[in-house]
Amino acid sequence: MKNNIAKLLFVFFEILLIVPVPAFSSLPGRPPGGDEANLLKHFRLVPLPQKIVLAKGAGLACNALGSIFLEGIARRPVLQAPLSTLPDAERPGEGVLTLRLKNDPSLPASREGYKLEVTARQVVITAKSEAGIFYGCQTLQQLLEDARDQSLLIPACTITDFPEIPYRAVHLDLKYHLDNLDYYYRLMDRLAAVKVNAVILEFEDKLRYRSAPVIGAENSISIDEFAALSRYANERHIEISPLVQGLGHVAFILKHDEYVGLRDDPRKDWVFDPLDSGTYALQFRLYDEAIAATPNGKYLHVGGDEVYNLGRSAASRKSGMTTFQLQMYWLNKVCAYAREHNRIPVFWDDMIFSLSGLYMSMHDTHTPADSINLLWEKNAPKIEQYLHLFPKDCIYMRWHYTYPRLQGNQNAVNWLKSHQLKVMGASAVQEMHPMMPRNQSLFNPIKDFSWVAVTHGLEGMLATAWDDSSPHFETFWRGIYDYAWLSWKYTDIGPDEAHAAFRHRFYGPALSNERFEFQDSLEFLMNFQDTAFVKNSTRITVPEKIDLIELPGSELPADVWRTVYRNRVNLARKEIKRYETTRGIIKDNIKLARRNHYALRLFERINELQIYNAKILDLLDDYAGETTPDGRQRAVLKIRSAADGFADLRKEYEQVFSETRFLERPPGYLMDDNYDTMLANATQTSSDWMYLFELKMNVKLEAWLKSMQ
C-alpha cells in the first residue's frame, strides 16, 4: 500500500512539473498568504519595488477595476491594456483606480517615486509627478498581469517605491543595421514597462542628414521620423538623446571622398583632425540634425573614445600640443557647442586614463589593491597637470564591461568625483559576440556596476548594446531586465534568481521554474560554434586569416586526424546532447509562453543553426573511423546531406531574423575601412558575415566531397 501511495505521489509531482499551475498552495482566486517574500514568489515584479507592506483584508481581482479617476492630474498617463480601456470615473470609490498627483511629504523624494495602495475595492496611486504616476501604473500592470495569468487575487498591500539611480538609459546602436520603425516604437513600450527612463541613440549613418546627405545611408531614417519616435518615447517617460561619434569612431564620415581632408591620418578613416576648423563645421551640422531628431533629449553624447594615434595631421604636429591637449581641445570645442544648444555633453572617459598610463589598472585582476593605489598616486599628477582643461559641465562616462568593482575602476570614479566632475557609469548587455550575448547576459558586470553607481552616487547609468557583430535586439532582453532591476534597486541577488524573474515577467509565470532556462545552455553552444571549425581564429572581429582545421584523408591521414581532433570531436558530441536538451526546453517555452513568442522563435532558429558545426565534426570523425570503402561512402553521403542542409538552416534563421530587421545593405553601400574590423563590417552582403567560418568551411568541404566521388 505504501509503495502504491508513493508511486501516486511521484506521478502527481511529475504532473506538477509539466502542467502550468500556480507554484503555491493557495487555491485559485485567493491571494497568496504570508509575508512579502511569499508574495514575490507569485508576483515577480521587475524592477523590484523598494518596500512592500502587506495589509489585512481580501485581495483585488484582476478584473475588479472598472474606471479611472484623475485627481490633480490634467491627463491620463499612457497605459497598456487593460488599464488603457477603462473609462473615466467621477469620483474615487469601489472598482476605481485613482491616480493622485499630490505634493505629499510622506511620498518618496524622487520625482519618479510613488505609493501604490491595493485593497479589495480599489487601487490608489499617489505621486509628486506624472513620472511617479506612470511608474506606479507599470507596477500595477505587472500585478494585474500576474493575477490574471495565475488566477490569483492581488493581496491587499502598500508599495512605496523609487529608483536609486536617477538616469537609467539603454543604448540603441544603429552602426550596422536597421529595424523597421514599428519595432522601435514597440521597443519604447517594452523599456518603459520595466522603468527604463532614457535611450542613448547612436545614429552613425542611419540618420538622413540634410546638410550632409552623403553620410546618411540610402536606407536611413528621416529626422522627422526619429523626432516622432522621440515624442512617443517622451510620453512614456523615456528621454532619447543622441550619440554622434567624434573625435574617433568616425569611419562612417571619413570614408567618403568629400571628407578625406578632415582625417587626422590621411591613411585612416578613424579619427578627425582636431585642429581643422572643417572638423567642427561638419560635426556641428551633424549635431544640429541629431538634436532636431531627438527634440526631448537633455544630453548630447559626443563619443571621444578609443582615439588611437591622435596627432598625425600637419596642423597637430606643427602645434606642439601633446596628445592629451589635442584630445581636450576637441572636447572643449564640442562641449561649448552643447552648452550653447542647451544640451549637457556626455563623453567616454577612457582616453583620459589611457594617456596617463592608468587605463590598464581598471582591468587588472591580478595586482593587489594596494599596488593599484600606489600606481594611481604615481600617475595621477599626469592627469592633474591638465585639470584646467577639463570642462566642468560635461558628464564623464566611465565604461567597464567585465569587472567594474576592480580597485582601478573605482579609483577612476573617485578621481573624477574628487575634482567635482560629474560621472555616469556604463555597463553592457552586449559586447561584441555574434548572434547573442554571452556570460549569462553579462549579469555580473551589470550587477557590479550598479553597485558602484549606487555606492558612489553616480549621476546615472547606461546599458550599452554594441552593434559590432549586430545580433538581433531580441537577444538582449534578459540583460536589459537585469539592468532594469539592478539600476532601480540594487539587490544582492544571483543570476538564477534574476533570470527566473525575467522568464516569469517576459514570457509568463509558468516559465519561472529553473527547468525552463535555456539561454545559459545556448551560450555554451554558441561558444563552441565560434571555434569549432578553426584553430586559433576568433569570431569577435574579422581575423586576418581564417585558419580552418584539416579534413581527414586529404590533408591528414584518417587515424592521425582522429588523434589530433579527438578532444574537439568529444566536445562536439557533448554539445550535440546539450543542443537536443536545449531544443526540447525551447519548445516547452514556446508551448507555455503567454507573450514575446518572437524572441523564442529567434532563439529556436539560433539553436538549430549553431549545431551545424558540431554535427559536421561528428560526421567527419565517423568517416575517419570507417575502415571499408562502403562504410566510408555511406559516411560521405551523410556529410554531403548535412552540408547541403546548411543553406536551409541559414534561410530559416534569416526568415525569422528579418521579420523586424533589414538584412541587406543598400546597393552600392560604401563599407567602413576600420582598421579594427568589426564582424558586421566584414562583408558587403549584410548576412554573410554571420557565417564567415561556416561559408569558408563549406567551400573546403565541397572540394573534399567532390574528390571522394
Side-chain angles (χ1 to χ4, degrees):
M1 183 66 178
K2 287 181 180 179
N3 288 339
N4 289 336
I5 292 173
K7 288 178 181 178
L8 287 171
L9 286 172
F10 178 82
V11 171
F12 174 72
F13 285 114
E14 283 288 288
I15 292 172
L16 283 180
L17 289 174
I18 298 171
V19 180
V21 298
F24 45 84
S25 58
S26 303
L27 293 174
R30 295 186 181 180
D35 56 12
E36 175 188 341
N38 193 40
L39 166 70
L40 293 176
K41 289 179 183 178
H42 318 306
F43 293 86
R44 292 180 184 256
L45 305 177
V46 178
L48 187 67
Q50 298 290 346
K51 184 179 180 181
I52 302 174
V53 177
L54 297 179
K56 294 181 179 180
L60 179 82
C62 64
N63 60 354
L65 296 175
S67 57
I68 294 180
F69 177 70
L70 304 182
E71 184 178 321
I73 184 171
R75 61 173 186 166
R76 289 181 182 223
V78 175
L79 301 171
Q80 302 291 325
L83 298 182
S84 60
T85 64
L86 299 181
D88 291 338
E90 295 183 358
R91 64 183 65 84
E94 186 170 351
V96 176
L97 166 60
T98 299
L99 304 181
R100 180 179 294 149
L101 195 62
K102 184 179 181 181
N103 191 16
D104 186 337
S106 69
L107 292 171
S110 167
R111 62 176 294 277
E112 296 177 312
Y114 64 90
K115 181 160 68 174
L116 188 158
E117 299 167 279
V118 178
T119 69
R121 300 176 63 235
Q122 62 178 324
V123 175
V124 178
I125 297 174
T126 310
K128 294 179 179 179
S129 74
E130 291 186 1
I133 295 290
F134 180 79
Y135 289 132
C137 289
Q138 302 315 301
T139 299
L140 177 60
Q141 291 272 178
Q142 293 187 18
L143 290 168
L144 292 170
E145 189 174 70
D146 281 347
R148 180 202 66 204
D149 289 351
Q150 301 173 94
S151 300
L152 281 174
L153 298 179
I154 301 171
C157 63
T158 298
I159 295 175
T160 305
D161 200 13
F162 58 89
E164 293 175 339
I165 300 173
Y167 183 80
R168 306 171 304 283
V170 165
H171 180 215
L172 183 55
D173 182 9
L174 305 184
K175 191 182 288 96
Y176 298 119
H177 83 271
L178 269 179
D179 290 278
N180 61 54
L181 263 174
D182 179 64
Y183 184 79
Y184 296 133
Y185 279 92
R186 289 186 285 121
L187 186 66
M188 299 307 153
D189 287 328
R190 294 157 85 184
L191 291 173
V194 290
K195 304 185 176 72
V196 168
N197 68 357
V199 165
I200 295 292
L201 179 51
E202 184 163 351
F203 286 115
E204 291 271 341
D205 61 0
K206 302 309 185 293
L207 177 63
R208 197 175 306 152
Y209 300 101
R210 295 166 181 158
S211 63
V214 70
I215 295 174
E218 191 174 314
N219 63 341
S220 57
I221 297 173
S222 73
I223 292 170
D224 290 340
E225 288 172 312
F226 271 125
L229 177 68
S230 179
R231 289 189 290 271
Y232 182 90
N234 193 59
E235 291 176 345
R236 288 146 183 82
H237 297 274
I238 293 177
E239 170 198 302
I240 300 182
S241 294
L243 193 165
V244 179
Q245 284 284 13
L247 178 64
H249 282 283
V250 287
F252 74 102
I253 299 170
L254 299 183
K255 67 184 179 182
H256 297 287
D257 290 341
E258 291 88 335
Y259 304 116
V260 167
L262 299 180
R263 294 180 177 186
D264 183 60
D265 182 342
R267 300 166 300 173
K268 300 292 183 182
D269 61 6
W270 187 256
V271 181
F272 272 127
D273 181 350
L275 296 184
D276 191 322
S277 60
T279 291
Y280 303 99
L282 174 60
Q283 190 135 44
F284 293 169
R285 291 202 307 273
L286 302 186
Y287 288 167
D288 289 342
E289 301 191 40
I291 288 172
T294 57
N296 305 106
K298 179 168 61 176
Y299 297 102
L300 171 63
H301 200 312
V302 298
D305 62 317
E306 298 178 330
V307 186
Y308 308 124
N309 302 318
L310 181 62
R312 298 294 182 89
S313 72
S316 294
R317 292 196 304 270
K318 185 178 179 180
S319 72
M321 296 169 69
T322 66
T323 304
F324 204 109
Q325 288 171 323
L326 290 168
Q327 178 92 27
M328 301 309 283
Y329 177 83
W330 169 85
L331 181 60
N332 276 279
K333 294 279 280 187
V334 296
C335 285
Y337 169 93
R339 191 181 310 120
E340 292 165 5
H341 291 79
N342 299 312
R343 293 285 174 122
I344 300 170
V346 180
F347 163 66
W348 302 119
D349 72 356
D350 55 291
M351 292 310 300
I352 293 171
F353 302 108
S354 292
L355 296 172
S356 52
L358 288 167
Y359 181 73
M360 292 311 298
S361 76
M362 305 179 201
H363 299 269
D364 190 337
T365 58
H366 302 293
T367 304
D370 289 346
S371 299
I372 294 292
N373 290 336
L374 288 173
L375 178 65
W376 273 79
E377 288 179 18
K378 177 183 176 182
N379 283 22
K382 296 179 182 179
I383 319 177
E384 288 161 0
Q385 66 177 313
Y386 295 120
L387 196 57
H388 62 286
L389 299 178
F390 282 63
K392 297 292 186 181
D393 56 353
C394 181
I395 302 283
Y396 294 81
M397 187 163 273
R398 171 87 296 279
W399 56 275
H400 204 300
Y401 308 149
T402 48
Y403 303 106
R405 289 181 76 154
L406 285 174
Q407 187 66 43
N409 192 56
Q410 294 193 61
N411 284 358
V413 169
N414 290 332
W415 185 90
L416 291 164
K417 288 181 68 68
S418 70
H419 292 93
Q420 290 72 56
L421 300 172
K422 296 179 180 178
V423 189
M424 285 189 187
S427 189
V429 296
Q430 159 65 4
E431 288 188 89
M432 297 170 67
H433 288 289
M435 299 253 177
M436 61 181 285
R438 312 295 165 84
N439 303 321
Q440 295 187 300
S441 300
L442 293 162
F443 174 83
N444 284 321
I446 292 168
K447 177 184 174 183
D448 286 348
F449 219 140
S450 297
W451 177 87
V452 171
V454 171
T455 303
H456 294 271
L458 302 191
E459 301 283 324
M461 280 283 291
L462 171 66
T464 58
W466 295 107
D467 194 42
D468 299 332
S469 61
S470 209
H472 202 294
F473 199 90
E474 287 297 294
T475 65
F476 300 168
W477 281 109
R478 187 169 74 163
I480 289 172
Y481 270 55
D482 293 342
Y483 167 76
W485 178 336
L486 292 162
S487 63
W488 180 275
K489 179 185 180 181
Y490 176 79
T491 316
D492 189 12
I493 54 170
D496 292 345
E497 181 179 351
H499 295 162
F502 163 72
R503 294 191 303 277
H504 176 115
R505 188 83 274 132
F506 194 72
Y507 297 122
L511 305 184
S512 62
N513 188 285
E514 64 182 4
R515 79 182 188 88
F516 291 101
E517 175 56 61
F518 67 87
Q519 276 188 245
D520 290 345
S521 295
L522 193 48
E523 285 179 4
F524 279 108
L525 288 160
M526 296 302 298
N527 289 337
F528 179 74
Q529 185 221 21
D530 285 345
T531 58
F533 285 158
V534 293
K535 297 178 182 178
N536 298 302
S537 301
T538 173
R539 208 191 288 256
I540 297 295
T541 57
V542 181
E544 291 184 10
K545 178 184 177 183
I546 298 176
D547 51 346
L548 294 173
I549 63 171
E550 299 87 357
L551 295 179
S554 60
E555 296 172 302
L556 281 178
D559 57 336
V560 175
W561 190 94
R562 297 194 88 194
T563 300
V564 170
Y565 291 111
R566 172 54 48 217
N567 290 339
R568 191 177 301 224
V569 169
N570 287 342
L571 188 55
R573 287 170 176 157
K574 179 180 177 181
E575 296 308 310
I576 290 170
K577 291 180 180 178
R578 191 196 305 273
Y579 149 78
E580 291 167 350
T581 301
T582 304
R583 186 171 187 260
I585 296 171
I586 293 175
K587 288 188 178 299
D588 288 344
N589 273 260
I590 291 171
K591 289 177 185 176
L592 298 177
R594 288 179 170 268
R595 44 194 168 267
N596 293 312
H597 290 86
Y598 177 60
L600 289 171
R601 289 195 293 115
L602 186 67
F603 282 122
E604 181 180 41
R605 297 327 312 168
I606 290 172
N607 189 46
E608 296 301 325
L609 178 67
Q610 62 78 30
I611 202 59
Y612 171 78
N613 301 37
K615 288 183 174 179
I616 289 292
L617 283 172
D618 182 35
L619 291 171
L620 287 171
D621 187 70
D622 287 347
Y623 166 84
E626 291 289 349
T627 57
T628 66
D630 287 346
R632 289 198 169 181
Q633 190 57 40
R634 286 192 297 270
V636 165
L637 291 174
K638 289 180 181 179
I639 294 169
R640 162 62 70 190
S641 177
D644 289 347
F646 179 79
D648 287 336
L649 291 172
R650 173 178 175 172
K651 180 181 178 181
E652 289 163 1
Y653 168 62
E654 291 184 4
Q655 282 177 337
V656 177
F657 190 92
S658 61
E659 286 181 27
T660 73
R661 179 165 293 187
F662 303 113
L663 269 174
E664 297 304 317
R665 293 188 175 93
Y669 182 82
L670 183 62
M671 303 282 285
D672 295 359
D673 186 27
N674 294 346
Y675 60 85
D676 59 340
T677 309
M678 302 304 177
L679 198 61
N681 187 50
T683 61
Q684 185 64 45
T685 303
S686 294
S687 55
D688 279 357
W689 60 266
M690 298 189 196
Y691 329 102
L692 285 182
F693 296 171
E694 288 77 14
L695 292 176
K696 189 145 187 171
M697 174 58 90
N698 285 352
V699 170
K700 187 172 183 176
L701 271 176
E702 182 62 28
W704 182 82
L705 287 164
K706 285 182 178 179
S707 72
M708 298 295 169
Q709 293 177 349

